[in-house]
Amino acid sequence: MYVPTMKIYQKRDFPVSEIRRFLEPGPVVLVSSAWKGERNIMTMGWHMVMEFTPSLVGCLISSGNHSYELVSRSKECVINIPTLDLARTVVKIGNCSGAEVDKFTAFKLTAHEAEQVRAPLIAQCYANLECKLVDGRLRDRYNVFIFEVVKAHAAAAPKYPKTIHYRGDGQFMVAGRSLNLRKLFRAGML
Amino acid sequence: MYVPTMKIYQKRDFPVSEIRRFLEPGPVVLVSSAWKGERNIMTMGWHMVMEFTPSLVGCLISSGNHSYELVSRSKECVINIPTLDLARTVVKIGNCSGAEVDKFTAFKLTAHEAEQVRAPLIAQCYANLECKLVDGRLRDRYNVFIFEVVKAHAAAAPKYPKTIHYRGDGQFMVAGRSLNLRKLFRAGML
């Protein structure tokens, strides 16, 4: 049994063109948003990197979520990368509605001000990606939003965060060991 | 140092509405395709689940890849889920072109016949998802293909495969331990 000890990560600026490092391995993320004095957090597992420059991310926010309105109206969000110490909080956030509760208060999370968006950063997450909506064409049909990451913040340590990855059915996979296969890559293919 | 020992997984039919189990944790996958007697395999890290029923997957196949033509013309592919024993092969597949080599032969992979598509299944992968293109509207702009998984095959053992997850820069994360948080979910939210 692990004991949750949420800590605030010390972060520095991170190049937006390199945020695949955090998203491509496929962790569950927390999406924070804000609109007209209201703020919210949702748990999200369906996302993909789409381009390095501009730094594009596609993701799915179901219209049944309270965050759908906040993100649609503000055209902004922050994608926050939680680690193992937040696992229980991540599940609880996904199992209640922002229509009924302020999740920052309810789950003792710290909202830090972002630089380029009004949505708040979650200080207890390993990385924070400030996003602006660039294409909403697939929203009505698929609930898919395409964002550009306009500013990124990430912790310098640990080098490889213990992210959590959802398999469905209440089961998560925790990020395991690292494997360096650089030598097998051709130049320019990394 | 691990020794690669590629094995052929014994598979059974798997419900297409539950393939999030394999894709949502974010592993790197192998996409196989075929068109007019030619076949190919590409390594892909940018994908996301989009719907349970129909079982939709969005993914990015760059127009610079040889597979782009095969998938575009056939409107089909198979998404294959490799495990750790295939890690070096996965990287090598991503670092050569199907225009120059038949990758099944070059990497000693076994092509099994699919049921609903002409693209071959890779027998050495843990799971195989037969896919048909359902929406190509984002292809020209983003290289994004939206597929429906029409048939799925998966190994029954091990229960949780040691998938590999790409961080960029030649670095992979290997799937680690499992974490069961079912008790924290509300009914209907799993």
Side-chain angles (χ1 to χ4, degrees), chain B residues 139-180:
Chain B
R139 194 195 65 166
D140 291 347
R141 177 142 188 172
Y142 296 111
N143 291 332
V144 165
F145 295 73
I146 299 175
F147 293 109
E148 179 179 353
V149 180
V150 292
K151 176 79 190 175
H153 316 261
K159 187 171 180 187
Y160 298 125
K162 275 211 174 306
T163 47
I164 55 174
H165 302 247
Y166 194 48
R167 302 187 195 273
D169 204 33
Q171 306 288 339
F172 291 82
M173 176 272 281
V174 181
R177 71 180 177 88
S178 294
L179 181 64
N180 182 344

Side-chain angles (χ1 to χ4, degrees), chain A:
Chain A
M1 187 69 188
Y2 78 94
V3 181
T5 51
M6 304 194 308
K7 70 166 182 178
I8 290 184
Y9 282 100
Q10 296 303 312
K11 273 158 264 189
R12 54 181 73 167
D13 291 352
F14 189 86
V16 294
S17 63
E18 295 175 21
I19 56 94
R20 78 179 312 185
R21 181 188 301 188
F22 309 120
L23 289 181
E24 188 166 335
V28 65
V29 301
L30 295 174
V31 175
S32 48
S33 55
W35 177 247
K36 289 198 175 175
E38 195 178 0
R39 62 188 182 178
N40 197 24
I41 311 174
M42 70 170 277
T43 298
M44 181 173 78
W46 294 0
H47 56 76
M48 69 173 170
V49 181
M50 287 177 55
E51 185 55 277
F52 297 111
T53 305
S55 177
L56 300 184
V57 176
C59 65
L60 202 137
I61 299 175
S62 174
S63 57
N65 282 302
H66 189 64
S67 294
Y68 181 89
E69 279 300 306
L70 276 63
V71 174
S72 291
R73 290 180 186 278
S74 65
K75 296 182 166 45
E76 295 177 346
C77 75
V78 176
I79 297 176
N80 305 273
I81 315 286
T83 45
L84 181 57
D85 52 308
L86 283 184
R88 296 172 69 88
T89 300
V90 165
V91 174
K92 290 177 185 170
I93 285 172
N95 279 273
C96 66
S97 172
E100 295 154 15
V101 63
D102 178 276
K103 298 192 190 182
F104 280 94
T105 306
F107 300 111
K108 298 183 169 53
L109 294 169
T110 309
H112 280 176
E113 204 166 327
E115 284 187 24
Q116 300 201 25
V117 300
R118 292 195 178 179
L121 313 175
I122 303 175
Q124 284 83 1
C125 285
Y126 179 87
N128 313 109
L129 314 178
E130 302 184 19
C131 296
K132 294 197 177 189
L133 184 67
V134 291
D135 195 330
R137 273 184 292 171
L138 289 196
R139 194 196 65 166
D140 291 346
R141 176 142 188 174
Y142 295 111
N143 291 332
V144 165
F145 295 74
I146 299 175
F147 293 109
E148 179 179 353
V149 180
V150 292
K151 176 77 190 176
H153 317 260
K159 187 170 181 188
Y160 298 124
K162 276 213 173 304
T163 46
I164 55 174
H165 303 247
Y166 193 48
R167 301 187 195 273
D169 204 32
Q171 306 287 339
F172 291 81
M173 176 272 280
V174 181
R177 71 181 178 87
S178 295
L179 181 64
N180 182 344
L181 294 177
R182 277 185 69 98
K183 287 182 181 170
L184 295 178
F185 284 74
R186 293 192 313 196
M189 296 294 282
L190 288 165

